[in-house]
Amino acid sequence: MENKKSVTIHDIARVLQIDSSTVSRALNNNPRVSAKTKKIVQDKAKEMHYRPNTLASNLRTQKSNTIGIIVPHITKYFFSTAISGIEEEAHKAGYNVIICQSKDSEDLEAKNINTLLSSRVDGILLSPAIKTSTIDHIQKAMESNIPIFFFDRYIKEVSTTKVITDDRITSKELALHLLSQGIRKLAVLTGDTKVSIYDNRVKGIYDAFKESGLNTESKLIMQQIKLDIDEAHEAINKWVEKKVDFDAVFAMNDMAAIGAQKALQEKGFKIPEDVLVAGFSNEPIAKLVSPPITTVHQPAAEIGKLAAKKIINHIQESDKSILASETAVLDSELIIRESTLRKK
Amino acid sequence: MENKKSVTIHDIARVLQIDSSTVSRALNNNPRVSAKTKKIVQDKAKEMHYRPNTLASNLRTQKSNTIGIIVPHITKYFFSTAISGIEEEAHKAGYNVIICQSKDSEDLEAKNINTLLSSRVDGILLSPAIKTSTIDHIQKAMESNIPIFFFDRYIKEVSTTKVITDDRITSKELALHLLSQGIRKLAVLTGDTKVSIYDNRVKGIYDAFKESGLNTESKLIMQQIKLDIDEAHEAINKWVEKKVDFDAVFAMNDMAAIGAQKALQEKGFKIPEDVLVAGFSNEPIAKLVSPPITTVHQPAAEIGKLAAKKIINHIQESDKSILASETAVLDSELIIRESTLRKK
DNA sequence: AATTATTGTACAATCGATTGTATTTTTTTT
DNA sequence: AAAAAAAATACAATCGATTGTACAATAATT
């Protein structure tokens, strides 16, 4: 079997005895080509199974109509949902997306950025890695003149457009809700507060304490962990064994909340009678465990959509000077479930 | 701010007063360039922040070092895990991936294939949409001479390499396990049996009945639904209301199993005392509900890795004639949990 | 019918990297 | 030191599509 080479506009031009530029214009519906010729060309293109070579086109036009996405983990529901949102908007506008995972590693993130820039993406939507401590690789990329926007997570020191949620506000709401249940002491499981989202959520908790006039010294304990089931499980176990007193757990994501709930139940605590448990992000699983867990719904798909819209806008805006970097904040929503409702 | 054009090998060549072909060879470590010149060029390239233009390179070399992936939904844990596996192997081999979602629509799937072919990916890994009834778009793509391999799901009528799991065998195992618990009647919630995976799982159940010498007429009922929480919930409710007799549910994915379990519990049935419940795929959530649900673990990451390896092998093999299409079957694993263990 | 305006096509350069061939420079051999 | 061999570099075509400019064909105007 010979190696079938793919059909080019030159092949079509040769067959029709016309110039390839005319073929190109005909296929792109350019007014300089007569309707008659267009029809002939388009028919022949279909007949010959012509498929435009995006590489060649992109090279010539200096744009790839592609948006790069970098997320920590595509297996996380929040991110895969956000990606879906980005994809949807991107496709609507005729853009493709390339998805990369940083696995929360700064190295990989830098590599991903490089790959995307080499692929000449028109823009990058980035939700930075937890471990991102230096911002060199991002700064350098921004010098290359292709826009990099943040979504969900962001880096304070980098000034660019971001699409985020009002974590701080909703975190405060959740904390107020817990306090309103009359708890003695709140235990918080947080992620690295160098990460914007965790920082904001913690600040929200302090806001709630301040507003309630409560003393964080005596009524709040906090521990930083890797926010997954196992580490949360372990952290709670240690607290219980050390007889640390608390009667509510606020974990900064749902997986940690589930791990905490499991650990507490194994130790014989009843949720919510003995201890309240709350999470964050509204993973589908949160409402399926027993009891269903109070959490915060973040509009992942909307974040993705908006971020995509914004960067596409930016790409297509010829006069870049009028585009300042802005911060779009989407509302998140407190979802109260059984796990934090004290029975009367 | 002027529009910074990116640095090309020609820019480097001009600065160094040498030919761009030498620059190209120096950067690619070609033996035709002296070590001294290589050093000079590479240093200068770094200094000038040179970044190769992948588009140009790909156009010239007629390969993109990119693999396209099409899955029904990236938000499904199984698929995002498989994608992670593919990515890992691909990156190891110097390939990038482009990920597309078909949303289980044949139209979108065809569009995705077209996009990928236009982007000149070197190969496509496809897990076909449920709704894929015609195979034209796949056949046509295969004519274009770029390999399309299946993973997880496949289409019988299309002969190409596939990487799948031994669903039928493990489904049979699971069914045997249920039968061994001494059940009266098994209720099966299946997806569209036109889809390979569901077809195989159903066949596995029949295998188990045959092996046990049991009559499927009297001891098995089956219903085809969209395998999600809500439809499963509804299906179970209807059965219960109609007083259909069964004391075990085998749902062909975990979400449906969870929906079924919820519905049964709401109707007052105890799991597993009154009814056994089993799912499929070992979603993380399956072990977190109460009671934890018996399921089948499918090695998603391994499937992805193997599929990636196979297609990269195929791409890099110059003598395509020796490559026949093959079927790799990976073992899946029965995971028995509380939901199907009758208390003695 | 001659001139101008308009429309449709063809020509040729270009995007940036790669690569076969030709040429120059250096090294080795006699 | 001249000839041959080897190494390093330069030249030029190419990948496929796009696009500004030039030219030809037709239509409109006088």
Coordinates of all heavy atoms in Angstrom, one line a residue, chain A residues 267-294:
Chain A
K267 N -14.5 6.7 64.5 CA -14.2 6.9 65.9 C -15.5 6.9 66.8 O -15.4 7.2 68.0 CB -13.4 8.2 66.2 CG -12.0 8.2 65.6 CD -11.1 7.4 66.5 CE -9.6 7.5 65.9 NZ -8.7 6.6 66.6
G268 N -16.6 6.8 66.1 CA -17.8 6.7 66.9 C -18.6 8.0 67.0 O -19.6 8.1 67.7
F269 N -18.1 9.0 66.3 CA -18.9 10.3 66.4 C -20.0 10.3 65.4 O -19.9 9.7 64.3 CB -17.9 11.5 66.0 CG -16.9 11.7 67.0 CD1 -15.6 11.2 66.9 CD2 -17.2 12.5 68.2 CE1 -14.6 11.5 67.8 CE2 -16.2 12.7 69.1 CZ -14.9 12.2 69.0
K270 N -21.1 10.9 65.8 CA -22.2 11.0 64.8 C -22.1 12.3 64.1 O -21.9 13.4 64.8 CB -23.6 10.9 65.6 CG -23.9 9.5 66.2 CD -25.0 8.9 65.4 CE -25.3 7.4 65.8 NZ -24.2 6.5 65.4
I271 N -22.3 12.3 62.8 CA -22.4 13.5 62.0 C -23.9 13.7 61.7 O -24.5 12.8 61.1 CB -21.6 13.4 60.7 CG1 -20.3 12.7 61.0 CG2 -21.5 14.8 60.0 CD1 -19.2 13.5 61.7
P272 N -24.5 14.8 61.9 CA -24.0 16.0 62.5 C -24.2 16.2 64.0 O -23.9 17.2 64.5 CB -24.8 17.1 61.7 CG -26.1 16.4 61.6 CD -25.9 15.0 61.4
E273 N -24.7 15.2 64.6 CA -25.1 15.3 66.1 C -23.9 15.7 66.9 O -24.0 16.6 67.7 CB -25.7 14.1 66.6 CG -27.1 13.7 66.1 CD -27.1 13.0 64.7 OE1 -26.0 12.9 64.1 OE2 -28.1 12.6 64.2
D274 N -22.8 15.0 66.7 CA -21.6 15.3 67.5 C -20.7 16.3 66.9 O -20.1 17.1 67.6 CB -20.8 14.0 67.8 CG -21.7 12.9 68.5 OD1 -22.6 13.3 69.2 OD2 -21.5 11.7 68.2
V275 N -20.5 16.1 65.6 CA -19.5 17.0 64.9 C -20.2 17.4 63.6 O -20.8 16.6 62.9 CB -18.2 16.3 64.6 CG1 -17.2 17.3 64.0 CG2 -17.6 15.7 65.9
L276 N -20.0 18.7 63.2 CA -20.5 19.1 61.9 C -19.3 19.0 60.9 O -18.2 19.1 61.3 CB -20.9 20.6 62.0 CG -21.9 21.0 63.0 CD1 -22.2 22.5 62.9 CD2 -23.2 20.2 62.9
V277 N -19.6 18.7 59.7 CA -18.6 18.6 58.7 C -19.0 19.4 57.4 O -20.1 19.2 56.9 CB -18.3 17.1 58.3 CG1 -17.3 17.0 57.1 CG2 -17.8 16.3 59.5
A278 N -18.1 20.2 56.9 CA -18.3 20.9 55.7 C -17.1 20.8 54.7 O -16.0 20.7 55.2 CB -18.6 22.4 56.0
G279 N -17.4 20.9 53.5 CA -16.3 20.8 52.5 C -16.4 22.0 51.6 O -16.9 23.1 51.9
F280 N -15.9 21.9 50.4 CA -15.8 23.0 49.4 C -15.7 22.4 48.0 O -14.9 21.5 47.8 CB -14.6 23.9 49.8 CG -14.8 25.3 49.5 CD1 -15.0 26.2 50.6 CD2 -14.9 25.9 48.2 CE1 -15.3 27.5 50.4 CE2 -15.1 27.2 48.1 CZ -15.3 28.1 49.2
S281 N -16.4 22.9 47.1 CA -16.4 22.7 45.7 C -17.5 21.9 45.1 O -17.7 21.9 43.9 CB -15.1 21.9 45.3 OG -14.0 22.8 45.3
N282 N -18.3 21.3 46.0 CA -19.5 20.6 45.5 C -19.2 19.5 44.5 O -19.7 19.5 43.4 CB -20.6 21.5 44.9 CG -21.9 20.9 44.8 OD1 -22.2 19.9 45.4 ND2 -22.7 21.4 43.8
E283 N -18.3 18.6 44.8 CA -18.0 17.5 44.0 C -19.3 16.6 44.0 O -20.0 16.6 44.9 CB -16.9 16.7 44.5 CG -15.6 17.4 44.6 CD -14.5 16.9 43.7 OE1 -14.8 15.9 42.9 OE2 -13.4 17.5 43.6
P284 N -19.6 15.9 42.9 CA -20.8 15.2 42.8 C -20.9 14.2 44.0 O -22.0 13.9 44.4 CB -20.6 14.4 41.5 CG -19.5 15.0 40.7 CD -18.7 15.9 41.7
I285 N -19.8 13.8 44.4 CA -19.8 12.8 45.5 C -20.3 13.3 46.8 O -20.8 12.6 47.7 CB -18.4 12.2 45.7 CG1 -18.4 11.1 46.7 CG2 -17.4 13.3 46.2 CD1 -17.1 10.4 46.8
A286 N -20.2 14.7 47.0 CA -20.5 15.3 48.3 C -21.9 15.0 48.7 O -22.2 14.9 49.9 CB -20.2 16.8 48.3
K287 N -22.8 14.9 47.8 CA -24.2 14.7 48.2 C -24.6 13.3 48.2 O -25.7 12.9 48.6 CB -25.2 15.5 47.2 CG -25.3 14.9 45.8 CD -26.5 15.4 45.1 CE -26.7 15.0 43.7 NZ -25.9 15.8 42.8
L288 N -23.6 12.4 47.9 CA -23.9 11.0 47.9 C -23.4 10.2 49.1 O -23.8 9.1 49.3 CB -23.4 10.4 46.6 CG -24.0 11.0 45.3 CD1 -23.2 10.5 44.1 CD2 -25.4 10.6 45.2
V289 N -22.6 10.8 49.9 CA -22.1 10.1 51.1 C -23.2 10.3 52.2 O -24.1 11.1 52.1 CB -20.8 10.7 51.6 CG1 -19.7 10.3 50.5 CG2 -20.8 12.2 51.8
S290 N -23.0 9.6 53.3 CA -24.0 9.7 54.4 C -23.3 10.3 55.6 O -22.4 9.7 56.1 CB -24.6 8.4 54.8 OG -25.1 7.8 53.7
P291 N -23.8 11.3 56.2 CA -24.8 12.2 55.6 C -24.2 13.0 54.5 O -23.0 13.2 54.4 CB -25.2 13.1 56.8 CG -23.9 13.2 57.6 CD -23.3 11.8 57.5
P292 N -25.1 13.5 53.6 CA -24.6 14.4 52.5 C -23.9 15.6 53.1 O -24.3 16.1 54.2 CB -25.9 14.8 51.8 CG -26.9 13.8 52.1 CD -26.5 13.3 53.5
I293 N -22.9 16.1 52.5 CA -22.0 17.1 53.1 C -22.3 18.5 52.6 O -22.4 18.7 51.3 CB -20.5 16.7 52.8 CG1 -20.2 15.4 53.6 CG2 -19.6 17.8 53.2 CD1 -18.7 15.0 53.4
T294 N -22.3 19.4 53.5 CA -22.5 20.8 53.2 C -21.2 21.3 52.5 O -20.1 20.9 52.8 CB -22.6 21.6 54.5 OG1 -23.9 21.3 55.0 CG2 -22.5 23.1 54.2

